[in-house]
Amino acid sequence: MGKGIFKEYIKTSANPSTRTIGHRSCGVIFNFVDDKMPKKYSSRKELKILAARFAEKNLPPENAAKFLLEVDRLKSRGRLQDSEVLIKAYREVLEQSARNPANKDVGVSDVGQK
């Protein structure tokens, strides 16, 4: 296992002793069998750091700023879990990109036209 990750056995609907993993830093143990993800409500700063890392790896620079603004807007509502905030913000940025073709990256189908 990686640094900060540990093995654990938990009771699930499939088995009274199911192998899973957990994180040492936050103490969260994941239940992948029953598809129950832990609810997490981070501080605004923690969520922004996570969102910035995600945007850096998964979004073009012009969409990263929009994504971070959307994360901030959704977090300010205060009713959503971290995972819900990140997913909704990502979907919103993708929808905005689809509505505005000027913001789209050049894709494989566009190469022959240029």
Side-chain angles (χ1 to χ4, degrees), residues 70-84:
E70 188 66 18
V71 166
D72 193 42
R73 185 182 71 78
L74 291 169
K75 180 65 177 175
S76 67
R77 291 183 181 172
R79 294 174 287 185
L80 300 173
Q81 297 174 33
D82 292 355
S83 59
E84 292 173 320

Side-chain angles (χ1 to χ4, degrees), residues 61-114:
E62 61 272 6
N63 287 346
K66 293 176 188 174
F67 175 71
L68 293 174
L69 287 172
E70 188 66 18
V71 166
D72 193 42
R73 185 182 71 78
L74 291 169
K75 180 65 177 175
S76 67
R77 291 183 181 172
R79 294 174 287 185
L80 300 173
Q81 297 174 33
D82 292 355
S83 59
E84 292 173 320
V85 168
L86 295 172
I87 291 168
K88 286 183 180 203
Y90 184 67
R91 287 181 179 161
E92 180 61 29
V93 168
L94 292 180
E95 288 173 11
Q96 287 175 5
S97 294
R99 287 189 299 248
N100 188 359
N103 289 340
K104 282 190 176 178
D105 286 344
V106 175
V108 175
S109 62
D110 297 332
V111 173
Q113 297 173 359
K114 294 199 176 206

